[in-house]
Amino acid sequence: MTVRGAVRGAALAQVVVLAGLLAGCSQPAQGEGAGPSASAGGAADSAGSGTGDKVAARGGSVGAAGSACALPVAFDTAEHWKAEAVDTGPAEGGGEAAAELAEALLHQGPFTAACEIDAKPAGNIGFIRVWTGEAGAGAGDARALLKEFVTAEGDTSEARYSDFTSDSGVFGAEVAYLSTSEALEETKKERAFLTVTDEGPVVVHLGGLDTGEHEDMLPAYELAKRTLRAT
């Protein structure tokens, strides 16, 4: 089973280190209304960008009972992407340090990793990851909860928040932002949306190895958002 393969905005180095083990400094995100500007290293010129005319072909779905990941919501996955539930059990082997690393990768703020959908079978390097939180939040808390998620990631900036509604009427908050890895001295785009369910909030997040990979995978993310539905 897998957990969050890239932590705190790190890209290639951490993907390589964690690929076998878990398969898979802090500047708070700016508030809504922060305009885009040039980012470090030219990796990303803006936190937000559209998908152009690209549309992802449907390959399957996750979330419903019997799917790869049972979740409080369901959505369609892009063709060839492979979904796998995250194992949140104790880490085996590697000692205390490995256990602490695994625990850190399983959590981001008040959220716990629940599912990841791997783009590698479709030819990209990255994941759509699903995170869940404890029950008790209301629909009006979506944006505040999403801000907690982004802030917990670490060195993020230029966060731009908005609202969304899926084709089935599920609504929530969305954010496009930049994440910087100090180790790699690289900044890249990331994106996430959050909806609140009776079972707790659910975050669907798209990162990627770099901004290029992120933009290539945006159609799969948009497919997930557009088809989001209750289970």
Side-chain angles (χ1 to χ4, degrees):
M1 299 299 175
T2 58
V3 293
R4 191 168 182 259
V7 62
R8 308 298 187 264
L12 180 60
Q14 289 159 316
V15 170
V16 173
V17 171
L18 296 172
L21 174 63
L22 302 173
C25 124
S26 179
Q27 177 181 340
Q30 297 176 5
E32 58 225 74
S37 64
S39 62
D45 56 6
S46 168
S49 69
T51 60
D53 297 327
K54 296 180 181 178
V55 177
R58 180 186 182 277
S61 66
V62 295
S67 68
C69 305
L71 302 165
V73 295
F75 56 84
D76 290 351
T77 57
E79 188 176 22
H80 304 308
W81 287 54
K82 182 180 179 181
E84 186 173 5
V86 171
D87 183 1
T88 57
E92 296 183 4
E96 184 177 347
E100 290 178 355
L101 175 60
E103 178 66 14
L105 294 171
L106 283 168
H107 298 283
Q108 183 161 318
F111 300 94
T112 300
C115 181
E116 65 179 15
I117 304 105
D118 189 356
K120 285 196 293 295
N124 291 105
I125 303 175
F127 299 85
I128 288 176
R129 290 188 171 90
V130 184
W131 303 74
T132 57
E134 297 293 331
D141 299 321
R143 190 169 295 201
L145 288 166
L146 191 54
K147 288 180 179 179
E148 286 189 56
F149 178 83
V150 173
T151 300
E153 183 167 329
D155 193 352
T156 61
S157 61
E158 299 189 27
R160 302 185 66 178
Y161 293 86
S162 58
D163 300 324
F164 80 92
T165 302
S166 73
D167 288 351
S168 65
V170 176
F171 61 91
E174 183 177 17
V175 62
Y177 61 101
L178 300 177
S179 174
T180 299
S181 166
E182 290 186 2
L184 298 176
E185 298 182 345
E186 183 176 44
T187 297
K188 62 188 179 74
K189 295 179 182 179
E190 298 192 18
R191 209 173 188 95
F193 63 81
L194 180 149
T195 189
V196 178
T197 75
D198 290 342
E199 297 177 50
V202 179
V203 176
V204 178
H205 171 266
L206 175 67
L209 176 64
D210 53 29
T211 288
E213 291 288 346
H214 175 85
E215 292 182 337
D216 285 346
M217 297 185 293
L218 271 176
Y221 167 90
E222 293 292 343
L223 174 66
K225 184 176 65 173
R226 185 175 69 251
T227 61
L228 187 69
R229 54 197 181 271
T231 56

